[in-house]
Amino acid sequence: MINKIFFVLVMVCIAMTSNLKAQLCPENIGFENGNFQNWKLYAGSINTSGVVINEVALPVSGRHTIQTDKTAVDPFGKFPVVLKNSGSYTVKLGNSGTGNQAEGVSYLINIPANRNEFTLTYQYAVVFEDPNHAVVEQPRFIARVKDLETGNYIPCASFQYIATSTLPGFKKSSSSSTVIYKEWTPVTINLSGYQGKQLLLEFITGDCTLGGHFGYAYVDVNNLCGDLILGNTYCKSSEELNVNGPSGFQTYTWYNGDRSIKYGTGQGVKIKPTPPDGTKIILDLVPFTGFGCPSTLTAIVQSVDYQLQLLPKNTVCQGSSIDLISDDYVLNRNADFSYFAFEDKDLTIPVKNPVVINEKKTYYIMATNYKGCESVASVDISLFDVANITLKNPDQVCYTETVDITKNEIYVGDLKDIIRTYFTDAAATKPLSNPGRINLSGRYYVKLTNNLGCSKILPVDVVVNPKPILKIINPAGVCFPSTVNIAALHNFAGSDNDLKYAFYYDAGLTQPVSDPERIDKSGTYYIKAINSLGCVVSDKINVTIYELPVLILKDPSAVCYPATVDITNQAIYLGTTAGVNYSFYTDSNLTNKLIHPDQVAASGAYYVKITNQNGCSVFDKINVTINPLPVIVLNTPKPIFDYDYIDLTSTDIVKGSKGYVKKYYYTDATLTKSVSDPTKINKAGVYYISLESDKGCSITSSIELNILPAPQIIVPTAFTPQKLTNNYLYPFFTSIKQLTSFKVFNKWGILVYETNTMTSSGWDGLFKTKMQPMETFSWFAEGIDVLGGKYQAKGKTILIL
């Protein structure tokens, strides 16, 4: 109820004339012109001695800011920067910068000479950094009123809000631990008794005097400069009295005239039942400490005998513009009252007059004076029958059809005596030439006119659906035996999303395709597409299925290791499709490419794939045979003397060899000279044996035969121990590896020399230090040949002097 009274009083002050105009505040005192008209601006600095500011011609950017965004909130306090349910503008003084700045605004108020009671209400919100300096150094906000006649500030109307103030309502910011703020708070200052005087209203902000911390404020001034107590005048029909005191005090206590009855506490109270006329009401006001003076206000209860009378109902044409608070509807207008129209009985949805009537509805009119007396009545507004006619939009049609908006079935209501005309514009100025055969989508208009002259224009939406968009992308050709899915959605990229498709063999769309997802024959097929609205479009799609190339191959001839096979040889593929590309693989999955198909070195199955120019391919297996060589192992026989033989054909020589069926023997590495009799070899040297498998693959290796000369111990038949040559008697050896005994005997059989070492220098002819005479001596030798056999020899030699 309090909010409603405030709303009504504001509207009263705006709308009422004569004696009620005095309740309006000076022009633009609430910044509602969206600028600083009639205000003076100041900028400067603050120090411990006080604020030093000078007038400036224009607002200082960031320091004198008009706020208009009702959705914006303060970054520290999160409260709205423009008051809701108030005007559209507030002023921000200062900013969150530092530098001991100070800003101010002032407004010169001329108190009317006939206003012995005059109040001014402003609302403020402040944001301070709290550096815990001394009080004189703290950021601050000053609101004060100066009597220009005396040059003094009015004590009970001048306040200073400091960051460390004990004024209730300061909170810590959630955005910064050093910032405190106070949300929007109303303050009513009593300027009664200053009628006919000039007062200066000032608002000032200042940072901390040391320059390191900020302070700023938001200010709004109400446009209603009313009496101190509101609501003391009431309508006699009211059962209760709602009175409100000025804002910004700590306590409010309400009494009757002799204080025998306490009505209640708080800025506003409800008194029920309504006190009699002439009752005196007392309000005791106690300000916050340091922010005003205690005072007592009085008001006299007065009743107004007024009951609003309205035209109870009216019937109008649809679309008529009517003024609900005009004399056509208010039957007992009173010059002391203002009138307001609402859509609801709770009077929360105001109506802006004149109102356009498009439906049957009850409206509520409130009459109120600025003292709070109000009376409410209702009026029923009905529409003539033409207003009850409605229209259903016709069904949508496809691009091959038209729409008839003259058909009665699309209209709901009584069409008797109704004339219908058809137009292309909402103002019904451009006639529609073909309302029975509309072939273009759009909004058209039907004007309904009855015999009373009431008319109504109804919009009708016609939808002629365009031809569905069907785009065909012929599918890529495939290779037989693959099939083509002509129903795949990518074939219709760019087509409308809501199309459903059917497929046919013929252009007449009479022979359905049995399985459109598996087309196995090249040719042209036909598509019918139907969208969600039932509109049909058709087209054709071409399918290409390529033939496979022909691959004919024969396995290459077997070879013997280490020979390789060239499977790229075209002779292998006689009869294969010409002009194809060949590729070769080691596996039937065709995943491992053969690196050197022209030099295949291992037996096995390989795979050949041919691909024609259309990308179609076939593959087959090709068998490569590389026969292994026999395993040859040659065992060298023991050495023999040249009087014996070695048999090369002996199985012991090739023991360990395998995989052969034939043996060949040669004396040369080129295998051109065969051994004449490999069973009897008595000549040392290198021989070559070749083994041949049953596949004709042969391998050759060499073997070296060691055939030694027969062992011999040869002693010279004469020697000359006293000459320069041939002066020692010593045996010569052939195939002897150890001398076990060499003895020389004289003719009497006496042993004159003996040795068992092959390194001895021999007998020098001396026996017992005496040279032996020239005669024939006998010798006997025994040793071990190189093959380990014992060998003996004997003979005679002549000592020649």
Side-chain angles (χ1 to χ4, degrees):
M1 185 65 181
I2 292 173
N3 289 336
K4 184 178 77 174
I5 289 174
F6 179 76
F7 167 77
V8 171
L9 287 174
V10 172
M11 297 186 71
V12 168
C13 290
I14 295 173
M16 292 187 68
T17 57
S18 69
N19 65 321
L20 296 183
K21 278 190 176 179
Q23 302 306 311
L24 291 176
C25 288
E27 183 183 4
N28 199 43
I29 196 169
F31 310 103
E32 288 309 304
N33 291 347
N35 54 35
F36 288 101
Q37 179 186 351
N38 298 335
W39 286 86
K40 289 186 178 182
L41 309 177
Y42 304 88
S45 61
I46 184 172
N47 55 47
T48 54
S49 299
V51 174
V52 180
I53 54 176
N54 297 303
E55 185 177 350
V56 293
L58 297 172
V60 178
S61 177
R63 298 173 71 181
H64 304 93
T65 309
I66 297 287
Q67 303 285 325
T68 62
D69 187 356
K70 288 198 173 187
T71 64
V73 297
D74 182 81
F76 296 99
K78 309 304 181 186
F79 54 81
V81 300
V82 178
L83 269 166
K84 296 180 180 178
N85 302 320
S86 183
S88 299
Y89 304 93
T90 59
V91 167
K92 180 181 180 182
L93 283 180
N95 53 49
S96 58
T98 56
N100 64 310
Q101 295 177 336
E103 303 80 20
V105 292
S106 70
Y107 193 103
L108 180 61
I109 304 174
N110 292 296
I111 306 295
N114 61 348
R115 293 290 300 279
N116 59 344
E117 286 191 2
F118 191 90
T119 62
L120 183 71
T121 299
Y122 65 87
Q123 308 215 42
Y124 72 94
V126 290
V127 179
F128 296 137
E129 271 193 298
D130 183 7
N132 289 318
H133 294 331
V135 171
V136 72
E137 298 171 340
Q138 293 282 81
R140 67 202 57 222
F141 167 59
I142 301 170
R144 59 193 180 188
V145 179
K146 187 176 189 179
D147 183 350
L148 295 184
E149 182 179 337
T150 64
N152 297 322
Y153 288 102
I154 300 173
C156 296
S158 301
F159 311 107
Q160 184 169 222
Y161 307 86
I162 301 177
T164 54
S165 172
T166 57
L167 186 68
F170 276 98
K171 302 176 183 177
K172 277 197 174 289
S173 170
S174 60
S175 302
S176 172
S177 61
T178 64
V179 174
I180 61 174
Y181 66 93
K182 183 174 176 62
E183 297 178 302
W184 286 103
T185 303
V187 176
T188 299
I189 53 180
N190 184 2
L191 302 177
S192 301
Y194 288 90
Q195 60 267 30
K197 292 190 176 185
Q198 287 188 320
L199 305 179
L200 188 67
L201 173 64
E202 296 178 333
F203 297 109
I204 299 170
T205 57
D207 296 338
C208 89
T209 62
L210 302 181
H213 302 89
F214 65 80
Y216 62 86
Y218 300 91
V219 176
D220 192 14
V221 181
N222 290 1
N223 286 320
L224 178 64
C225 296
D227 294 335
L228 291 172
I229 295 178
L230 298 178
N232 56 303
T233 299
Y234 67 97
C235 295
K236 279 191 174 181
S237 59
S238 299
E239 297 180 354
E240 61 185 36
L241 185 69
N242 291 282
V243 288
N244 283 270
S247 300
F249 290 85
Q250 186 172 20
T251 64
Y252 301 78
T253 309
W254 298 83
Y255 301 93
N256 66 351
D258 60 4
R259 297 183 181 268
S260 62
I261 300 175
K262 182 179 178 180
Y263 291 130
T265 59
Q267 186 177 355
V269 295
K270 180 186 297 183
I271 303 175
K272 188 174 182 180
T274 305
D277 273 3
T279 299
K280 185 178 181 180
I281 297 176
I282 298 175
L283 171 60
D284 289 338
L285 297 174
V286 177
F288 291 98
T289 302
F291 295 95
C293 304
S295 60
T296 297
L297 306 179
T298 62
I300 303 299
V301 175
Q302 296 177 342
S303 66
V304 177
D305 189 7
Y306 180 73
Q307 182 68 40
L308 176 63
Q309 296 178 12
L310 297 179
L311 183 70
K313 58 183 168 181
N314 194 18
T315 302
V316 299
C317 295
Q318 184 180 23
S320 297
S321 178
I322 64 174
D323 186 353
L324 290 167
I325 60 174
S326 68
D327 289 343
D328 292 336
Y329 292 92
V330 179
L331 302 181
N332 62 336
R333 182 177 300 277
N334 187 314
D336 291 333
F337 281 78
S338 296
Y339 298 86
F340 305 95
F342 297 87
E343 290 188 20
D344 61 321
K345 64 181 179 181
D346 294 325
L347 310 182
T348 61
I349 307 174
V351 173
K352 184 177 180 181
N353 278 300
V355 61
V356 176
I357 305 300
N358 284 309
E359 60 180 333
K360 180 180 179 181
K361 195 166 186 179
T362 298
Y363 293 89
Y364 299 85
I365 311 300
M366 179 179 69
T368 182
N369 66 6
Y370 81 100
K371 288 290 190 177
C373 172
E374 63 182 40
S375 179
V376 178
S378 64
V379 56
D380 294 327
I381 305 297
S382 299
L383 299 175
F384 286 115
D385 289 343
V386 68
N388 297 323
I389 300 174
T390 59
L391 187 152
K392 299 183 297 183
N393 289 326
D395 293 336
Q396 299 181 12
V397 299
C398 294
Y399 63 100
T400 56
E401 303 171 274
T402 60
V403 174
D404 182 3
I405 64 171
T406 68
K407 290 182 176 180
N408 288 338
E409 52 261 36
I410 69 172
Y411 297 89
V412 179
D414 187 2
L415 296 175
K416 184 179 179 181
D417 298 326
I418 299 296
I419 298 173
R420 286 174 282 173
T421 48
Y422 307 92
F423 300 89
T424 60
D425 65 314
T429 61
K430 300 176 182 178
L432 176 62
S433 60
N434 59 341
R437 293 183 60 82
I438 300 175
N439 60 5
L440 290 176
S441 293
R443 172 163 284 191
Y444 300 89
Y445 299 87
V446 182
K447 184 175 182 180
L448 307 172
T449 307
N450 66 7
N451 53 8
L452 297 176
C454 293
S455 64
K456 177 180 182 180
I457 299 174
L458 296 176
V460 55
D461 293 320
V462 171
V463 178
V464 179
N465 290 302
K467 183 178 181 180
I469 296 175
L470 174 61
K471 292 186 178 182
I472 304 296
I473 300 174
N474 290 323
V478 299
C479 301
F480 180 85
S482 296
T483 59
V484 174
N485 180 8
I486 60 174
L489 290 180
H490 58 76
N491 296 331
F492 312 109
S495 301
D496 289 339
N497 292 330
D498 63 342
L499 294 181
K500 293 185 177 180
Y501 303 95
F503 305 89
Y504 298 87
Y505 290 110
D506 62 316
L509 308 179
T510 61
Q511 303 173 31
V513 174
S514 57
D515 190 355
E517 295 184 359
R518 294 179 178 81
I519 301 296
D520 60 0
K521 184 178 180 181
S522 294
T524 299
Y525 298 83
Y526 298 88
I527 300 169
K528 178 173 73 174
I530 304 175
N531 67 13
S532 58
L533 303 171
C535 299
V536 178
V537 66
S538 62
D539 207 341
K540 62 184 178 181
I541 188 169
N542 296 312
V543 172
T544 302
I545 298 178
Y546 299 113
E547 293 184 357
L548 297 178
V550 176
L551 173 59
I552 298 175
L553 59 79
K554 63 178 180 179
D555 292 335
S557 300
V559 299
C560 295
Y561 180 84
T564 60
V565 175
D566 181 6
I567 61 174
T568 68
N569 188 343
Q570 288 297 302
I572 298 174
Y573 307 103
L574 294 178
T576 295
T577 300
V580 296
N581 291 323
Y582 290 81
S583 51
F584 305 89
Y585 302 87
T586 61
D587 63 315
S588 59
N589 294 325
L590 309 183
T591 56
N592 299 313
K593 271 202 167 186
L594 183 60
I595 302 302
H596 296 293
D598 57 338
Q599 297 178 18
V600 179
S603 294
Y606 297 87
Y607 298 86
V608 181
K609 182 176 78 171
I610 60 172
T611 305
N612 63 17
Q613 60 184 1
N614 294 319
C616 299
S617 61
V618 295
F619 72 95
D620 202 353
K621 179 172 70 173
I622 184 170
N623 296 305
V624 171
T625 301
I626 298 179
N627 291 313
L629 298 179
V631 176
I632 185 168
V633 177
L634 297 184
N635 303 295
T636 303
K638 294 179 179 180
I640 62 170
F641 294 118
D642 54 10
Y643 55 76
D644 203 352
Y645 299 95
I646 293 175
D647 182 3
L648 274 181
T649 66
S650 170
T651 57
D652 290 337
I653 290 180
V654 294
K655 186 177 181 180
S657 300
K658 52 188 174 181
Y660 66 92
V661 294
K662 294 181 180 178
K663 294 185 291 186
Y664 300 93
Y665 306 91
Y666 301 93
T667 60
D668 64 324
T670 60
L671 309 182
T672 58
K673 298 177 181 178
S674 299
V675 176
S676 57
D677 186 0
T679 61
K680 290 185 177 181
I681 302 295
N682 67 348
K683 183 179 180 182
V686 177
Y687 293 82
Y688 298 88
I689 299 176
S690 179
L691 303 182
E692 184 178 288
S693 69
D694 59 351
K695 304 297 184 182
C697 298
S698 60
I699 186 170
T700 301
S701 187
S702 62
I703 186 170
E704 185 174 2
L705 300 181
N706 192 3
I707 299 178
L708 304 173
Q712 294 183 66
I713 298 177
I714 301 172
V715 177
T717 56
F719 73 105
T720 58
Q722 293 182 332
K723 295 190 179 291
L724 293 177
T725 60
N726 198 21
N727 56 353
Y728 288 92
L729 179 66
Y730 191 79
F732 294 92
F733 307 99
T734 299
S735 300
I736 299 297
K737 67 177 180 179
Q738 180 182 352
L739 178 66
T740 56
S741 175
F742 176 65
K743 297 177 180 181
V744 180
F745 298 91
N746 60 18
K747 63 182 177 180
W748 292 284
I750 298 171
L751 178 66
V752 296
Y753 178 75
E754 180 181 21
T755 185
N756 61 357
T757 176
M758 296 177 69
T759 60
S760 172
S761 59
W763 183 42
D764 56 3
L766 297 175
F767 177 67
K768 295 183 180 181
T769 71
K770 291 182 179 182
M771 180 60 68
Q772 297 296 304
M774 185 179 72
E775 63 181 26
T776 297
F777 292 82
S778 298
W779 56 269
F780 176 82
E782 183 179 70
I784 305 299
D785 62 35
V786 294
L787 298 181
K790 183 185 288 187
Y791 180 79
Q792 293 179 340
K794 60 183 178 178
K796 293 184 182 294
T797 185
I798 298 174
L799 188 154
I800 299 176
L801 296 174

